[in-house]
Every structure is written in C-alpha cells, then in structure tokens.
Amino acid sequence: DEDEVELEDLGKKVIQIGHELSDEEEEEGTQATEEEKTTADDLEVAWEVLDLARLIYEQMPNCPAGLLADIRLDLGDVAMEGEAFDQAIQDYELAISLLLRQQAAATTALNQTRALAAAWFKKAMALEYANRLAEAIEPLQQAISLIKEKIKQTDAVDPEERDDLLALLPEMVVKLEDLQGLLAKEAKIIEKVDQEESGFKAMEEGGPVNDLT
C-alpha cells in the first residue's frame, strides 16, 4: 500500500546516507592521527543511520528478508571499521539467519548463494579479528562450500560469473589454511607448556634429580 511504499523509500534514503557516511570514514582513515576522533564519530553516526533504516524496514509488513540481511551486513561492515568485532559478529550472524530464511522460501537458491557465502566469510573475518580463531574455521568452510556450489551452478549458465568465483576461491582457501596453521601452532605451544609444567611439578614432588652432594 501507499504507507509501505513511503516506508521503503524512506529506508532507501536513510541507507544511502549511511553508506555515504561510511565511505567518508574510509577516505579519512588514511589521514592524520588527530582526526581519529572525528572518524570514530562518523562511524557512530553511520551505524546509527543504518540502524534507523533497519527499524524502518522492520516496520514494513512484507519486507524481504534479503533486504534486512543487506542492512545487517552494512551494520556489520561499519562495526568492523570501528573495530567493534563482537558487534560485527552479531550483525553478520543475523544477516546469515535472514539469508537462510530467504533461501528456504525461494524457488531457486541461485541468487542467494553468493550473498550467503559473503556473509559467512565476513563472519569468519570478524571472528579472526576478535582473536576467536577456532570459531572462524566453520564459517570459512561454509563460505568455501557455498562458493564451490555456486561455481557448479553457474558453470554452464554464466561462465563469466563462474570465472569471477574461481578467482575468489583461492583467497578463501589460503585464509582457511592460514587459520588452521595458526591453530596448529597454538596447540603445539600449549602442549609444550603443559609438558614443561608437568616436568617442573614432577621435580618438585620427587626432589632434585641430580644431587651432587
């Protein structure tokens, strides 16, 4: 109806403002340190504007889940710029939930697969920056799996998009291998520390190993 159209138009305008503020922050991010406070303020305003757009769209009775997911992804991106990693993770998780809902309701999942893969990848990056490396593995694997699925879907339908996806895949695979390598190193360090602690404890309980007196 007319009210719903007006809400949608208002939401689009608000989102555009949020994007402009976020873009300005990215440009200013390379300038002098004294402008950091202004940059932080701009990020906060961008987040508030995008969150207002979310509220507007949520009032629409038939707002597509994909549209709300896009807003959540934008909110997550702004949170990442402001190093609010836990907030970014939450926004990306909500975006994934909305995209999965849209995918389940769609007659074809072809158009949703790439957006969902991007959301999983962004969640993985937010978890990595939050130093939650073990938790980042699963969403990264999800993103890689979806990209591979998308490549199969587009192989004969859209060779150009298939080539674009093939170009993205190596970066994701390398990132996964890097994370797995870091986790393996952490595990070895922890194991070594545990062994040393066990050795010290055994020495304390059993007395000196080499008593030259």
Side-chain angles (χ1 to χ4, degrees):
D1 59 14
E2 186 176 342
D3 290 340
E4 187 171 341
V5 172
E6 290 179 358
L7 275 175
E8 184 173 0
D9 289 341
L10 177 59
K12 289 179 180 177
K13 292 177 181 177
V14 172
I15 289 175
Q16 181 61 36
I17 293 171
H19 285 168
E20 289 173 357
L21 287 169
S22 181
D23 290 342
E24 287 176 6
E25 186 282 328
E26 290 179 2
E27 293 175 1
E28 292 173 358
T30 59
Q31 295 179 11
T33 306
E34 59 265 20
E35 297 185 1
E36 286 182 359
K37 186 178 183 301
T38 302
T39 297
D41 291 343
D42 288 345
L43 275 175
E44 184 177 355
V45 173
W47 191 92
E48 289 175 352
V49 169
L50 288 168
D51 197 50
L52 175 59
R54 175 188 63 80
L55 291 171
I56 291 171
Y57 278 120
E58 285 181 347
Q59 292 180 33
M60 294 172 56
N62 301 311
C63 183
L67 184 55
L68 289 172
D70 288 342
I71 296 175
R72 282 293 180 183
L73 289 172
D74 289 338
L75 285 166
D77 292 345
V78 172
M80 284 288 288
E81 288 288 340
E83 299 183 0
F85 302 126
D86 289 337
Q87 180 62 54
I89 292 165
Q90 180 180 343
D91 286 321
Y92 291 146
E93 286 175 343
L94 288 168
I96 289 167
S97 178
L98 288 162
L99 287 168
L100 287 171
R101 186 196 310 171
Q102 183 189 42
Q103 188 179 62
T107 55
T108 174
L110 188 62
N111 294 330
Q112 285 79 40
T113 303
R114 186 166 186 172
L116 189 54
W120 280 115
F121 184 77
K122 288 183 176 187
K123 179 185 175 182
M125 294 303 95
L127 286 164
E128 180 188 7
Y129 279 105
N131 202 28
R132 294 159 61 178
L133 302 185
E135 295 176 63
I137 298 295
E138 192 267 341
L140 193 50
Q141 289 173 330
Q142 289 278 6
I144 291 171
S145 177
L146 286 168
I147 289 295
K148 289 180 177 178
E149 177 186 338
K150 182 74 171 177
I151 289 170
K152 290 180 181 178
Q153 291 173 336
T154 58
D155 192 23
V157 180
D158 191 342
E160 185 175 347
E161 183 175 7
R162 177 204 60 200
D163 292 342
D164 289 342
L165 293 169
L166 284 169
L168 290 174
L169 195 56
E171 178 185 351
M172 292 186 173
V173 172
V174 169
K175 174 59 69 175
L176 178 60
E177 291 173 349
D178 287 346
L179 288 177
Q180 291 172 330
L182 287 171
L183 286 172
K185 287 180 180 179
E186 284 187 0
K188 287 182 179 179
I189 292 171
I190 292 171
E191 182 181 2
K192 184 177 180 181
V193 170
D194 288 343
Q195 288 175 348
E196 290 176 350
E197 288 180 350
S198 297
F200 290 140
K201 186 176 180 181
M203 289 175 63
E204 290 174 356
E205 293 176 352
V209 177
N210 295 316
D211 190 351
L212 300 179
T213 62

